[in-house]
Amino acid sequence: MRLGDEIAFVTGGASGIGAATARRLASEGARVVIGDLDEPGAKVVAGELDGLAVALDVVDRESVREAFAAAERECGPVSVLVNSAGTDRFAMFVDTDEDVWDFVLQVNLRGTLACSRAVLPAMYERGRGTVVNVASEAGRIGAYAGATYSAAKAGVIGFTKAIARESARHGVRCNAVSPGPIDTPLLEAAATEYGPRGTRLRDAMVGMTVLQRMGEADEVAAAIAFLASPDASYITGHTLPVSGGLAL
């Protein structure tokens, strides 16, 4: 198995892409730690995998510190980090305010920074490790009714490139995946919360893909597992679109 003996920490692992990734990494041989604000949900997924669930609020410094300390105490040093925690508040930019900006930026961008900062020093010291960040095609082409989310995910892409440059001499690789429309609770929330307008938004995103369909969380998880594995040993600083050809 490609990830035997690895300790993988997946943020936002209670549902969606995070949960699919946790399952895929476990199937590849990794011992998986799932960190999520939804601790009961994280425990359900971890229970399937003989893994560990920890409470994690990625925007709270103390929560991040405690979650990663618990992971190392129970499982050992984290060698694979997947920053999957994310959220959005679908709305036209002029209908948002500072509270929305702060919330979306903190979860999607600052949370990725905070969790990466929690593991990179120890990875550097050991001379090995890999980080995979979940960005979005919104960060590359912009998302209708998602300006702040697009800005945050563009930040994740830029951050990934920068830490790849800094981490290479320490034997640590850093990459990202860039999902398009994926059948997850986050995208479904657009239709649920905004009714017909949200449904049109979701359908328009699917219509922009070359493959003309919604993606599955397992398809993103497969790409993440590849980037985390030795099969991607000569890949760093890359953002891999998993979007059905959305940006072609």
Side-chain angles (χ1 to χ4, degrees):
M1 289 184 280
R2 294 188 299 181
L3 297 174
D5 300 324
E6 302 288 359
I7 307 299
F9 194 113
V10 181
T11 75
S15 64
I17 291 171
T21 299
R23 295 184 180 103
R24 179 59 183 255
L25 298 181
S27 76
E28 298 272 4
R31 177 80 190 279
V32 179
V33 182
I34 298 169
D36 204 294
L37 197 60
D38 176 12
E39 188 177 6
K43 287 181 177 179
V44 170
V45 178
E48 301 173 14
L49 313 174
D50 192 27
L52 174 69
V54 295
L56 173 64
D57 181 352
V58 297
V59 305
D60 183 277
R61 181 181 303 175
E62 187 62 19
S63 176
V64 170
R65 189 195 67 78
E66 291 178 357
F68 283 92
E72 182 163 356
R73 186 168 59 248
E74 297 294 327
C75 301
V78 173
S79 53
V80 175
L81 171 64
V82 179
N83 283 307
S84 181
T87 192
D88 196 4
R89 292 292 183 268
F90 300 97
M92 301 300 286
F93 180 68
V94 295
D95 295 328
T96 64
D97 57 22
E98 290 89 344
D99 290 340
V100 172
W101 308 342
D102 289 345
F103 177 72
V104 174
L105 288 168
Q106 284 180 359
V107 174
N108 293 286
L109 181 54
R110 188 183 181 280
T112 295
L113 270 62
C115 294
S116 299
R117 179 63 177 81
V119 301
L120 283 173
M123 286 183 177
Y124 290 176
E125 186 175 341
R126 295 193 305 275
R128 64 182 300 270
T130 185
V131 176
V132 183
N133 296 321
V134 178
S136 171
E137 290 293 72
R140 299 207 306 145
I141 65 174
Y144 187 84
T148 306
Y149 181 78
S150 298
K153 292 301 188 178
V156 170
I157 292 171
F159 174 68
T160 300
K161 294 177 180 180
I163 60 168
R165 291 183 180 277
E166 293 182 8
S167 302
R169 65 190 180 93
H170 300 286
V172 176
R173 296 184 300 106
C174 306
N175 291 289
V177 294
S178 182
I182 306 297
D183 188 10
T184 63
L186 178 60
L187 187 57
E188 189 59 35
T192 302
E193 294 179 23
Y194 298 100
R197 184 179 183 184
T199 300
R200 289 195 298 272
L201 170 63
R202 181 192 61 194
D203 292 346
M205 292 174 64
V206 173
M208 291 171 64
T209 69
V210 173
L211 295 181
Q212 291 291 289
R213 68 172 176 85
M214 188 93 71
E216 299 293 334
D218 286 343
E219 294 175 302
V220 183
I224 292 171
F226 163 69
L227 290 173
S229 79
D231 288 346
S233 59
Y234 200 52
I235 301 174
T236 195
H238 181 63
T239 297
L240 175 62
V242 188
S243 61
L246 178 68
L248 290 181

